[in-house]
Amino acid sequence: QSALTQPASVSGSPGQSITISCTGTSSDVGGYNFVSWYQQHPGKAPKLMIFDVTNRPSGVPHRFSGSKSGNTASLTISGLQAEDEADYFCSSYTNSRTWVFGGGTKLTVL
Amino acid sequence: QVQLQESGPGLVKPSETLSLTCTVSGGSITSYYWSWIRQPPGKGLEWVGYIDYSGSTNYNPSFKTRVTISVDTSKNQFSLKLSSVTAADTAVYYCAGGYNLDYWGQGTLVTVSS
């Protein structure tokens, strides 16, 4: 299975909004509403931020939101804060009953 | 609050079998899905496979002939075995649980080297 495609890096200033894309195929992202996003700070385990495309687990700030159009899912962070600087990974369920991750995006808060 | 903790050798010799165990606390292993994910140093996440509450498994095709995930409900643990390892299997191995990989262990670095 091929990894989902994410930009290697994105950046934004505090208070701004950024969007990270995650592109797959009709066999994964486009075929199921089972896309998740994870935040990973250096040396730490990933943390679930969005599940089922648009849902936030309890405790995740409302400025994190998810969406999907066709084979591309997106994570938007509004009102960027310094603590948001981290790596972000998307994942999707696939038609092989497996999961696949994106390559990851490094977010820099300028 | 579900918590997970990986345990196992940090060093494995090439061609041998990597064995890790994940202990689940604060929840029953008879609920949810339980996965292994790995992350080579400086690289992205790679899903290895999962076992569900019924004991059914599914694996990343890249590992299919080398990987086995099993569960011990009496100990609230699940395990990973990866055979015939090479240096390319050096990574931080995470166990995770939940329907959406909601809960993660802290990860354990396994180095493959003679």
Side-chain angles (χ1 to χ4, degrees):
Chain A
Q1 56 190 26
S2 299
L4 307 176
T5 301
Q6 297 182 232
S9 63
V10 298
S11 62
S13 299
Q16 288 186 330
S17 295
I18 63 95
T19 296
I20 300 171
S21 61
C22 170
T23 301
T25 68
S26 58
S27 297
D28 38 64
V29 174
Y32 303 92
N33 287 325
F34 297 138
V35 175
S36 297
W37 290 90
Y38 304 88
Q39 176 192 66
Q40 186 180 34
H41 287 110
K44 300 295 187 182
K47 174 187 175 183
L48 178 66
M49 304 301 284
I50 297 288
F51 67 95
D52 294 350
V53 179
T54 61
N55 295 303
R56 273 185 311 276
S58 174
V60 172
H62 284 70
R63 52 202 183 77
F64 288 85
S65 62
S67 62
K68 191 183 85 166
S69 177
N71 295 337
T72 298
S74 298
L75 172 71
T76 298
I77 309 173
S78 56
L80 265 181
Q81 298 184 4
E83 67 212 48
D84 299 333
E85 185 163 293
D87 293 327
Y88 291 84
F89 295 90
C90 62
S91 75
S92 175
Y93 187 69
T94 81
N95 63 0
S96 300
R97 293 176 55 240
T98 62
W99 291 87
V100 62
F101 283 100
T105 298
K106 181 177 180 60
L107 169 62
T108 300
V109 180
L110 302 170
Chain B
Q1 175 77 358
V2 177
Q3 295 185 315
L4 295 85
Q5 178 67 57
E6 305 89 352
S7 59
L11 181 64
V12 181
K13 289 182 167 54
S15 80
E16 296 190 343
T17 296
L18 178 160
S19 296
L20 295 173
T21 295
C22 183
T23 301
V24 179
S25 59
S28 172
I29 204 159
T30 57
S31 301
Y32 303 130
Y33 293 86
W34 305 98
S35 294
W36 287 96
I37 297 101
R38 75 178 190 180
Q39 186 171 35
K43 296 188 177 181
L45 300 172
E46 184 174 31
W47 180 78
V48 177
Y50 74 74
I51 189 165
D52 71 15
Y53 42 82
S54 70
S56 295
T57 55
N58 207 3
Y59 304 125
N60 185 325
S62 300
F63 301 98
K64 203 154 193 174
T65 60
R66 298 197 292 137
V67 66
T68 302
I69 297 175
S70 60
V71 65
D72 186 337
T73 55
S74 67
K75 295 182 179 179
N76 232 34
Q77 295 177 334
F78 64 106
S79 299
L80 168 71
K81 291 189 185 299
L82 183 66
S83 63
S84 304
V85 296
T86 69
D89 293 310
T90 293
V92 174
Y93 285 77
Y94 294 99
C95 60
Y99 295 119
N100 306 289
L101 302 179
D102 308 69
Y103 315 107
W104 292 68
Q106 65 186 23
T108 186
L109 174 63
V110 178
T111 301
V112 178
S113 175
S114 55

